[in-house]
Amino acid sequence: MQCDYYDAGACRSCTLMGVPEDVQVADAQERVEALLPTVPTWLTPATGPASRFRNRAKMVVAGTAEAPTLGILDAAGRGVDLVRCGLYPASITDALEPLRAFVTRAALVPYDVPARRGELKHVHVTTNDAGELMVRFVLRSTESLPRIRKHLPWLLEQVPSIRVVSANLLPQHAALLEGDVEVPLTPAERLPVQQGGVTLLARPQGFLQTNTDVAGQLYTQVAAWVDDLDDDERRDGGAAALRVWDLYCGAGGFALHVAAGAASTGTGDREVVGVETSEQAVAAARDAAATAGLAGTTVVHADATAWAREQPEAAAPDVVVVNPPRRGLGEQLCAWLDAAPPRTRHLLYSSCNPASLATDLEALPGWEPVRGRLFAMFPQTTHAEVLVQLRRR
């Protein structure tokens, strides 16, 4: 990927810029195999485009209302403009100049980090494959909302692909991307995003994998492995309805693919439960399940660890799918999995941090890895997504 910002020394966020894609993938595979030596078999890595692959831009706003920058901050806290960044598709980059003009038009004062004053901290833009957009203004207070509402028709006229707009309130002087309060500014509050074989309904505060292509391959892989396990369980005289838990389910990517796989293969009696702490993500997953007609899918708003430990043995799943945050599963959930009821014999672990995955596998002595696959979700960086299948010893 060619990047003028990198060549000019303006941005170093892409630490592997200039390294050929095949070398990046090979090096990542070598690193994860070294971290996870107990995984006996590795499938061919899943890859996608090396540029224009990110469906979400989280742009720091700096400068002044008359001359705002959208991008990142340098070491001194000054804005570095990155409106033509090659990580984002044209649907996003084409919208950034009108958004910059909107900041000026609505007199939105960018937040000055060193001075700790100002109102507008970030602009987040999410796109789908149709080029439709969701835009979020991250503000320190409601002071700017009347002006945003007044000038919003102008923005929607300039960028007709915008479907969802909201304001997020982040009053703290802290290095955070968003706050807890979301103020809808358009009638629509969700953006349909096709990832794999399922349409997810992205909401402003819901989690969405940023690499649509590779995320689709990840979800499809999990669904295929669950289909294999379903076949095995039926041959071995297991329960007629395979029961699957998707812990940390986000907007429902894994749960919906697993449920959709049951519908397409004729095993429509599969029971799928997703568990997630984000209310926005739970609402999105429920909406997507209803829209797709997946009546057997339940999404619960709860902490994954606490919820799993509270369930009676009779409700135990055959398969557990986990996709935890970077910190991993933690001691309590690992302990529950290692002592799970006999019915629970399969675990699919998707991780964006192979190091914490390695730590968790050491805390799961009752489970043995079967196979794994690297997903090149984050080109130009050393980050990697890894999926590992495990079975009870």
Side-chain angles (χ1 to χ4, degrees):
M1 176 178 130
Q2 169 59 36
C3 179
D4 294 340
Y5 297 118
Y6 187 90
D7 292 345
C11 179
R12 285 290 186 266
S13 299
C14 293
T15 56
L16 299 182
M17 185 65 66
V19 179
E21 183 184 3
D22 58 342
V23 176
Q24 293 185 32
V25 174
D27 289 349
Q29 183 69 46
E30 184 177 345
R31 288 195 300 273
V32 299
E33 288 189 28
L35 280 169
L36 306 168
T38 59
V39 178
T41 302
W42 288 94
L43 279 63
T44 302
T47 62
S51 64
R52 311 292 179 191
F53 61 87
R54 290 186 67 91
N55 59 31
R56 178 175 295 179
K58 299 178 180 180
M59 312 300 281
V60 179
V61 185
T64 65
E66 295 75 20
T69 62
L70 304 179
I72 59 174
L73 299 179
D74 65 15
R78 295 183 298 265
V80 178
D81 201 66
L82 300 176
V83 295
R84 305 310 299 177
C85 176
L87 296 180
Y88 307 115
S91 55
I92 288 180
T93 56
D94 289 350
L96 293 179
E97 284 296 352
L99 282 165
R100 188 209 304 274
F102 181 77
V103 171
T104 301
R105 190 180 187 91
L108 305 179
V109 179
Y111 181 67
D112 185 326
V113 172
R116 296 166 68 92
R117 64 171 179 261
E119 280 295 311
L120 179 61
K121 301 191 76 171
H122 305 96
V123 172
H124 297 180
V125 186
T126 302
T127 189
N128 59 19
D129 283 348
E132 298 172 320
L133 301 176
M134 175 168 62
V135 175
R136 304 172 69 205
F137 299 97
V138 181
L139 307 166
R140 290 201 56 239
S141 74
T142 60
E143 182 271 336
S144 302
L145 283 179
R147 297 192 304 281
I148 291 177
R149 288 192 171 101
K150 175 183 176 181
H151 295 286
L152 186 56
W154 177 89
L155 178 62
L156 298 178
E157 181 179 331
Q158 297 298 308
V159 190
S161 56
I162 294 176
R163 297 289 176 267
V164 180
V165 182
S166 66
N168 178 270
L169 302 184
L170 177 60
Q172 300 97 320
H173 295 283
L176 300 172
L177 289 173
E178 62 182 31
D180 295 330
V181 178
E182 200 80 23
V183 181
L185 298 173
T186 52
E189 297 183 39
R190 58 189 192 180
L191 181 73
V193 179
Q194 181 82 18
Q195 291 195 336
V198 168
T199 298
L200 304 179
L201 298 176
R203 285 175 174 253
Q205 289 183 300
F207 172 78
L208 181 73
Q209 293 281 8
T210 60
N211 189 324
T212 295
D213 185 298
V214 178
Q217 296 181 64
L218 173 63
Y219 295 144
T220 301
Q221 183 66 80
V222 166
W225 283 359
V226 171
D227 288 345
D228 291 344
L229 295 174
D230 201 346
D231 291 342
D232 292 344
E233 288 292 326
R234 291 173 188 273
R235 280 196 300 270
D236 294 342
L242 192 77
R243 188 177 296 155
V244 182
W245 287 359
D246 177 9
L247 305 183
Y248 309 98
C249 74
F254 291 117
L256 297 175
H257 275 82
V258 168
S264 65
T265 58
T267 54
D269 52 355
R270 189 178 294 172
E271 300 174 19
V272 180
V273 179
V275 183
E276 171 60 43
T277 58
S278 165
E279 291 186 17
Q280 287 271 346
V282 168
R286 288 173 177 170
D287 287 349
T291 301
L294 302 174
T297 303
T298 302
V299 184
V300 178
H301 178 223
D303 173 78
T305 299
W307 183 87
R309 297 176 69 194
E310 291 168 357
Q311 301 312 299
E313 182 171 338
D318 302 283
V319 183
V320 179
V321 180
V322 294
N323 183 31
R326 288 188 60 80
R327 66 178 180 271
L329 297 177
E331 181 180 346
Q332 290 187 334
L333 188 51
C334 282
W336 180 86
L337 285 166
D338 217 46
R343 175 170 177 163
T344 305
R345 295 188 290 275
H346 308 286
L347 173 63
L348 303 182
Y349 192 141
S350 178
S351 171
C352 64
N353 184 359
S356 62
L357 168 58
T359 299
D360 285 344
L361 294 188
E362 290 180 358
L364 295 168
W367 294 85
E368 63 175 343
V370 177
R371 53 186 170 178
R373 192 176 188 190
L374 168 71
F375 292 80
M377 192 82 74
F378 316 103
Q380 319 306 336
T381 77
T382 58
H383 298 295
E385 186 85 18
V386 178
L387 175 66
V388 175
Q389 178 187 350
L390 300 101
R391 63 188 170 209
R392 294 290 283 269
R393 297 185 188 276

